[in-house]
């Protein structure tokens, strides 16, 4: 389980880097106009999976708890960014970012009546986030 828990944050990071920097329309919609927000998001998001992997690799009680907490924060951020807006709890800023960067991306969820719809690339992020939290908690509880 430790190997999987260690690999998932790195896979999460690789998926984020791939979908944020390699044009794969309609999976993503990389335009010159969204370079600055992507750089900011990378600066904020990319250290977290590295810290999680380091916490798991250390296998100390405090590092595993810290890694679990970071996984929880990542999942909470994903829920606030995508699923609460999909349920109708979005801000004007979230709707503006969605329209600018994600309105044309691939979606499999119904869009009717929703100002923000999680796209496939972010559904994968969500699944990886849940798996990352689950395996990190499993390793933490087994330690």
């Amino acid at each position: 389980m430790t190997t999987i828990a260690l690999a998932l944050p790195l896979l999460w990071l690789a998926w984020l880097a791939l979908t944020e920097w390699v044009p794969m329309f309609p999976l993503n919609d990389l335009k010159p106009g969204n370079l600055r927000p992507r750089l900011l998001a990378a600066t904020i998001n990319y250290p977290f999976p590295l810290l999680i992997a380091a916490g798991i690799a250390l296998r100390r009680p405090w590092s595993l708890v810290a890694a679990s907490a970071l996984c929880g924060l990542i999942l909470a951020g994903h829920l606030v960014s995508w699923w609460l807006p999909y349920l109708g709890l979005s801000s004007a800023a979230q709707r503006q970012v969605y329209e600018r960067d994600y309105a044309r991306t691939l979606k499999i969820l119904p869009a009717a009546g929703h100002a923000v719809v999680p796209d496939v690339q972010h559904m994968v992020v969500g699944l990886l986030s849940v798996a990352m939290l689950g395996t990190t908690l499993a390793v933490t509880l087994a330690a």
Side-chain angles (χ1 to χ4, degrees):
M1 183 61 72
T2 301
T3 303
I4 295 169
L6 192 56
L8 279 170
L10 302 176
L11 179 60
W12 186 92
L13 175 59
W15 176 256
L16 236 57
L18 177 69
T19 59
E20 289 176 351
W21 299 107
V22 178
M24 298 179 285
F25 187 81
L27 184 63
N28 59 14
D29 191 9
L30 306 183
K31 299 178 273 202
N34 66 10
L35 178 60
R36 188 170 183 187
R38 287 187 288 135
L39 285 170
L40 178 61
T43 302
I44 293 168
N45 292 327
Y46 291 4
F48 285 98
L50 299 174
L51 290 169
I52 292 165
I56 294 166
L58 282 174
R59 294 203 41 92
R60 301 284 189 264
W62 65 267
S63 69
L64 292 169
V65 168
S68 296
L70 288 174
C71 288
L73 288 173
I74 285 173
L75 184 57
H78 179 74
L79 294 172
V80 167
S81 297
W82 288 100
W83 293 99
L84 291 180
Y86 184 65
L87 298 173
L89 301 171
S90 62
S91 68
Q94 284 174 312
R95 292 187 298 275
Q96 182 182 16
V97 168
Y98 175 79
E99 282 300 319
R100 182 188 70 219
D101 297 336
Y102 303 108
R104 298 178 343 127
T105 57
L106 181 63
K107 295 160 193 70
I108 57 175
L109 293 173
H114 299 280
V116 174
V117 180
D119 56 9
V120 170
Q121 84 179 41
H122 287 94
M123 291 178 77
V124 171
V125 169
L127 290 172
L128 288 171
S129 298
V130 169
M132 191 166 56
L133 177 60
T135 57
T136 303
L137 283 174
V139 169
T140 301
L141 295 173

